[in-house]
PDB file of all heavy atoms in Angstrom:
ATOM      1  N   LEU A  96      99.446  93.895  87.016  1.00 98.00           N
ATOM      2  CA  LEU A  96      98.750  93.348  85.839  1.00 98.00           C
ATOM      3  C   LEU A  96      99.497  92.169  85.254  1.00 98.00           C
ATOM      4  O   LEU A  96      98.960  91.135  84.966  1.00 98.00           O
ATOM      5  CB  LEU A  96      98.555  94.445  84.797  1.00 98.00           C
ATOM      6  CG  LEU A  96      97.504  95.527  85.197  1.00 98.00           C
ATOM      7  CD1 LEU A  96      97.456  96.616  84.097  1.00 98.00           C
ATOM      8  CD2 LEU A  96      96.162  94.957  85.480  1.00 98.00           C
ATOM      9  N   ALA A  97     100.808  92.366  85.050  1.00 98.00           N
ATOM     10  CA  ALA A  97     101.646  91.303  84.498  1.00 98.00           C
ATOM     11  C   ALA A  97     101.650  90.115  85.472  1.00 98.00           C
ATOM     12  O   ALA A  97     101.506  88.931  85.031  1.00 98.00           O
ATOM     13  CB  ALA A  97     103.044  91.769  84.245  1.00 98.00           C
ATOM     14  N   ALA A  98     101.790  90.368  86.760  1.00 98.00           N
ATOM     15  CA  ALA A  98     101.809  89.273  87.740  1.00 98.00           C
ATOM     16  C   ALA A  98     100.493  88.509  87.717  1.00 98.00           C
ATOM     17  O   ALA A  98     100.462  87.298  87.817  1.00 98.00           O
ATOM     18  CB  ALA A  98     102.071  89.848  89.130  1.00 98.00           C
ATOM     19  N   GLY A  99      99.384  89.228  87.603  1.00 98.00           N
ATOM     20  CA  GLY A  99      98.085  88.600  87.556  1.00 98.00           C
ATOM     21  C   GLY A  99      97.928  87.714  86.339  1.00 98.00           C
ATOM     22  O   GLY A  99      97.385  86.589  86.444  1.00 98.00           O
ATOM     23  N   VAL A 100      98.323  88.203  85.183  1.00 98.00           N
ATOM     24  CA  VAL A 100      98.217  87.391  83.961  1.00 98.00           C
ATOM     25  C   VAL A 100      99.078  86.133  84.076  1.00 98.00           C
ATOM     26  O   VAL A 100      98.602  85.016  83.764  1.00 98.00           O
ATOM     27  CB  VAL A 100      98.655  88.224  82.722  1.00 98.00           C
ATOM     28  CG1 VAL A 100      98.826  87.359  81.492  1.00 98.00           C
ATOM     29  CG2 VAL A 100      97.589  89.320  82.444  1.00 98.00           C
ATOM     30  N   ILE A 101     100.286  86.292  84.572  1.00 98.00           N
ATOM     31  CA  ILE A 101     101.176  85.135  84.698  1.00 98.00           C
ATOM     32  C   ILE A 101     100.618  84.170  85.757  1.00 98.00           C
ATOM     33  O   ILE A 101     100.660  82.926  85.569  1.00 98.00           O
ATOM     34  CB  ILE A 101     102.596  85.585  85.084  1.00 98.00           C
ATOM     35  CG1 ILE A 101     103.195  86.313  83.891  1.00 98.00           C
ATOM     36  CG2 ILE A 101     103.468  84.412  85.528  1.00 98.00           C
ATOM     37  CD1 ILE A 101     104.464  87.107  84.233  1.00 98.00           C
ATOM     38  N   TYR A 102     100.062  84.677  86.839  1.00 98.00           N
ATOM     39  CA  TYR A 102      99.447  83.824  87.869  1.00 98.00           C
ATOM     40  C   TYR A 102      98.255  83.054  87.324  1.00 98.00           C
ATOM     41  O   TYR A 102      98.135  81.867  87.629  1.00 98.00           O
ATOM     42  CB  TYR A 102      99.021  84.675  89.107  1.00 98.00           C
ATOM     43  CG  TYR A 102      98.683  83.825  90.279  1.00 98.00           C
ATOM     44  CD1 TYR A 102      99.638  83.014  90.880  1.00 98.00           C
ATOM     45  CD2 TYR A 102      97.394  83.824  90.789  1.00 98.00           C
ATOM     46  CE1 TYR A 102      99.294  82.215  92.002  1.00 98.00           C
ATOM     47  CE2 TYR A 102      97.038  83.062  91.892  1.00 98.00           C
ATOM     48  CZ  TYR A 102      98.005  82.237  92.469  1.00 98.00           C
ATOM     49  OH  TYR A 102      97.684  81.458  93.540  1.00 98.00           O
ATOM     50  N   GLY A 103      97.413  83.718  86.552  1.00 98.00           N
ATOM     51  CA  GLY A 103      96.292  83.010  85.930  1.00 98.00           C
ATOM     52  C   GLY A 103      96.768  81.883  85.014  1.00 98.00           C
ATOM     53  O   GLY A 103      96.203  80.782  84.989  1.00 98.00           O
ATOM     54  N   LEU A 104      97.852  82.149  84.249  1.00 98.00           N
ATOM     55  CA  LEU A 104      98.444  81.071  83.419  1.00 98.00           C
ATOM     56  C   LEU A 104      98.952  79.951  84.297  1.00 98.00           C
ATOM     57  O   LEU A 104      98.749  78.745  83.959  1.00 98.00           O
ATOM     58  CB  LEU A 104      99.591  81.681  82.551  1.00 98.00           C
ATOM     59  CG  LEU A 104     100.374  80.683  81.715  1.00 98.00           C
ATOM     60  CD1 LEU A 104      99.490  80.011  80.725  1.00 98.00           C
ATOM     61  CD2 LEU A 104     101.527  81.404  81.014  1.00 98.00           C
ATOM     62  N   LEU A 105      99.608  80.241  85.365  1.00 98.00           N
ATOM     63  CA  LEU A 105     100.096  79.220  86.299  1.00 98.00           C
ATOM     64  C   LEU A 105      98.965  78.380  86.826  1.00 98.00           C
ATOM     65  O   LEU A 105      99.025  77.159  86.857  1.00 98.00           O
ATOM     66  CB  LEU A 105     100.849  79.884  87.448  1.00 98.00           C
ATOM     67  CG  LEU A 105     101.231  78.923  88.605  1.00 98.00           C
ATOM     68  CD1 LEU A 105     102.431  78.031  88.156  1.00 98.00           C
ATOM     69  CD2 LEU A 105     101.613  79.684  89.850  1.00 98.00           C
TER      70      LEU A 105
END
Side-chain angles (χ1 to χ4, degrees):
L96 292 176
V100 168
I101 292 167
Y102 191 63
L104 175 61
L105 172 75

